Amino acid sequence: MNVYDGERMADQLASRGMAAAPKDDADLIVLNTCHIREKAAEKVYSEIGRVGKKRRLAGITPPVIAVAGCVAQAEGAEISRRAPSVDIVVGPQAYHRLPDMIAEVTAGRRALDIDLPGLDKFDALPKKRKSGPTAFLTVQEGCDKFCTYCVVPYTRGAEISRTWAALVDEAKMLVDGGAKEITLLGQNVNAWRGADDKGRDRGLDDLIRAIDRIEGLHRIRYMTSHPADMTDGLIAAHGDVEKLMPYLHLPVQAGSDRILKAMNRSHSRDSYRRILDAVRKIRPDIAVSGDFIVGFPGETDSDFEDTINLVADIRYAQAYSFKYSPRAGTPAATMENQIAPKVMDERLQRLQALLGEQQLAFNRSVIGQQCDILLERKGKYEGQLIGKSPWLQSTHVEVTGLKIGDMARVHINEAGYSSISGEVLMKAAA
Ligand code: 5AD
Ligand code: SF4
């Protein structure tokens, strides 16, 4: 989502005559920030320090420094105190105001906007846009789930859906601008709801079906989903919407029901499993991905074993796993029985070893198969391009006569932990 937000900020600045410049030469530096874990938030301050120092050393008129995103939202006042070189603080729902704020700064004032005014920022988007072969499209923002460890409901605000018409239009514009694949984004993307062009109440599966009809679009993905919003309709879409890719990112966080309850996850180990069983029944090759937190307050050895045996049971194609990071203002931060860092380290290592094995096994399972690869960027070597398989694996191929944005029919013949490679059989589609 931050990539999407960053691109939209760039669009807005471009429409005011600004253009991207190398970091050392820029008149304006925008740091778009993440507040989800402490490490991400602390990085912002070291980056501000680095940028600020550079401009002192160079002895030139300082570039304007803007901090955008969730750290700006959550720590606006603290940023101003800790980092006097920052001129602009702009929250994730206010970035359409960035050009005006730059004008304020040029007039000699510091500017801060951390309102959460809903979806105004999308109205300010340019109506035409060029796109690479893969594009993001934010359909929903915010979160009402209030998991006890998480800052998102506070930094991004309540769940809110963009309208059907705006999304179908933006999807068409992206395809016109060159996109072959669209990833629908939201903190709880599958909580998207809205009225369609006939006024009927619709869910994400209907929106996917509408976007599926756009000619020239080859692939649709969505992330991130919450198990509680995984409707029968959305599960069914995995069986019959051809452009919907066989990949599902469905965070579970932990395998112990006791911990899931303390996390306020509103699903159990079993209900999570049942969703995946249903998806796999209609789409047996689906690549399942997840998020995990180890060392949530009160997590015992036996709770952690439940995470390990759930992972062993599910078999993930890919996953993200983190040590629990206490975040000020969340209920879990003040819970008793915070877990010692050393225990968290050990648990994370064990979990990541298992997830790594599963990722390698999944990658190897496609050796010998043929699949379409959407070519996205150049590789390290002359003639090499890198694209994504339907299962979101990075795929290296040697090509002649094909270019970025083409789809290639590829025979997969090698697999490692983080990528696969194969031989191009032919160009698959325009
Ligand atoms: N500590 C560690 N991980 C967290 N996440 C969210 N909040 C925290 C936290 N306080 C993880 C969850 C979520 C992902 C985006 O980040 O796994 O799914
Ligand atoms: Fe955070 Fe939970 Fe909302 Fe995901 S569902 S954004 S983990 S509160």
Side-chain angles (χ1 to χ4, degrees), residues 81-95:
R81 191 178 53 76
R82 273 179 72 177
S85 56
V86 171
D87 308 291
I88 295 175
V89 175
V90 57
Q93 304 294 30
Y95 62 63

Side-chain angles (χ1 to χ4, degrees), residues 35-36 70 142-143 149-158 187-188 330:
H35 199 243
I36 196 95
C70 291
C143 181
Y149 50 81
C150 185
V151 289
V152 170
Y154 313 99
T155 51
R156 287 273 174 171
Q187 269 92 31
N188 277 283
T330 61

Side-chain angles (χ1 to χ4, degrees), residues 233-273:
L234 185 53
I235 292 173
H238 279 282
D240 60 24
V241 179
E242 213 178 306
K243 291 179 190 172
L244 185 58
M245 290 293 104
Y247 182 93
L248 176 61
H249 181 68
L250 196 64
V252 64
Q253 316 295 359
S256 143
D257 280 335
R258 204 177 66 80
I259 294 297
L260 288 171
K261 195 146 187 254
M263 287 177 161
N264 191 32
R265 280 293 295 178
S266 80
H267 62 80
S268 66
R269 171 192 175 95
D270 229 48
S271 65
Y272 177 82
R273 251 218 71 133

Side-chain angles (χ1 to χ4, degrees), residues 5 72 80 112-113 176 241 332 396 421:
D5 285 354
S80 302
L112 175 115
D113 191 341
D176 284 346
V241 179
H396 298 241
S421 54

